Amino acid sequence: MGVSVDTVLVDALLKSAPKPKSPEPPKDEAAVVPIRKASRTVTDWAKVARAEAKTAQTLDALADAIRAFDGSPLKAGCEQAVVFDGVAGASLMVIGEGPGAEEDRRGLPFVGKAGQLLDKMLAAIGRTRTGNVFISNVNYWRPGGNRNPEPDELAVCRPFVDRMIELAKPKLIIAAGGVPATSLLASKDGIMKLRGNEYAYATPDGFKAPIIPILHPAYLLRRPQDKSRAWRDLMLIEKRLAELGG
């Protein structure tokens, strides 16, 4: 099936995107590396998360459970949990790494400069977060200093991630960046090897959907010379959504 993307328009949008500034170091490092409220292990907190996620029968109920969850060591240093945005039940679900400063402030995923570029990338294949995309992350609380989330921080969120996929029922999932791609696929390969390919994914309760990893928009802001890879990935996503009836 043939697909088309207006590469001239997309190139212009990418060139016009503002370049990210180097993050400022946190003023109080102790404030962004808090300790959990209770002395449970990662395994204990993951069990709590599984139990709470399983009881959620709607996305709103799941969001409430995530906000009330105390198992992430990041929670005390954040303004709020950043859970999801977009249209529940959309055929396309985008899963990113986790919130940055702007996302933590506003309580929505992908609303900073990288999120603005993501919106333009999705628009190139006829998708918007207000119309036909559902957006979330593999981690719901902002890590200090713009670092990647640690394995234990991802582990305690994972039951909620799986349950969110089950409740959202997407036909196709985009893993935006290396952290969500390697986390969801349990892969040791880097994003450059994973991107542009389709992988089978299944939650513990058996919901299945294909995943296509892409380069994170923040990476493209730093390295616009890799935009041709991103557009090829978007063409694949558009093609597969058409084939899946999405």
Side-chain angles (χ1 to χ4, degrees):
M1 179 179 294
V3 297
S4 63
V5 172
D6 188 341
T7 56
V8 174
L9 171 61
V10 168
D11 285 352
L13 289 172
L14 183 60
K15 289 178 181 178
S16 67
K19 298 297 186 294
K21 296 180 180 179
S22 298
E24 295 182 359
K27 295 181 180 179
D28 182 1
E29 189 62 28
V32 295
V33 189
I35 300 174
R36 288 189 177 92
K37 292 183 178 180
S39 58
R40 295 177 178 175
T41 66
V42 173
T43 300
D44 291 337
W45 279 118
K47 289 180 179 178
V48 172
R50 280 194 295 273
E52 294 182 358
K54 190 172 183 179
T55 62
Q57 300 302 309
T58 67
L59 287 167
D60 287 339
L62 183 64
D64 289 341
I66 292 169
R67 294 185 184 106
F69 182 65
D70 289 328
S72 174
L74 301 172
K75 182 175 180 178
C78 300
E79 290 192 33
Q80 58 193 312
V82 178
V83 185
F84 61 72
D85 191 20
V87 179
S91 58
L92 178 62
M93 182 174 185
V94 178
I95 302 181
E97 174 182 316
E102 185 66 12
E103 288 78 11
D104 183 42
R105 185 181 71 81
R106 295 175 55 183
L108 296 170
F110 278 108
V111 292
K113 292 178 180 178
Q116 293 166 20
L117 180 54
L118 175 66
D119 287 345
K120 293 173 181 178
M121 293 168 66
L122 293 171
I125 57 171
R127 299 276 159 171
T128 69
R129 70 174 72 207
T130 57
N132 49 14
V133 179
F134 185 70
I135 303 175
S136 188
N137 288 313
V138 289
N139 170 53
Y140 305 110
W141 292 273
R142 180 194 178 199
N146 276 353
R147 66 170 174 79
N148 291 340
E150 297 290 343
D152 68 320
E153 294 160 0
L154 294 171
V156 296
C157 289
R158 184 56 180 270
F160 295 120
V161 175
D162 285 327
R163 186 58 177 156
M164 191 174 300
I165 293 171
E166 291 167 355
L167 292 171
K169 294 181 172 60
K171 292 185 177 180
L172 178 66
I173 299 169
I174 292 176
V179 170
T182 56
S183 175
L184 291 170
L185 298 173
S187 174
K188 295 182 179 179
D189 292 331
I191 187 60
M192 282 301 183
K193 186 171 182 180
L194 293 172
R195 58 147 290 272
N197 299 294
E198 181 178 319
Y199 303 87
Y201 180 74
T203 68
D205 283 351
F207 178 82
K208 297 178 181 180
I211 287 182
I212 297 179
I214 67 169
L215 298 172
H216 197 284
Y219 172 87
L220 294 173
L221 288 173
R222 296 191 301 270
R223 290 184 55 85
Q225 61 268 36
D226 283 329
K227 62 183 181 293
S228 61
R229 290 188 172 100
W231 312 141
R232 288 197 295 272
D233 295 346
L234 288 173
M235 292 176 70
L236 172 61
I237 290 163
E238 185 180 39
K239 175 178 179 290
R240 289 296 290 127
L241 280 168
E243 293 170 350
L244 292 166

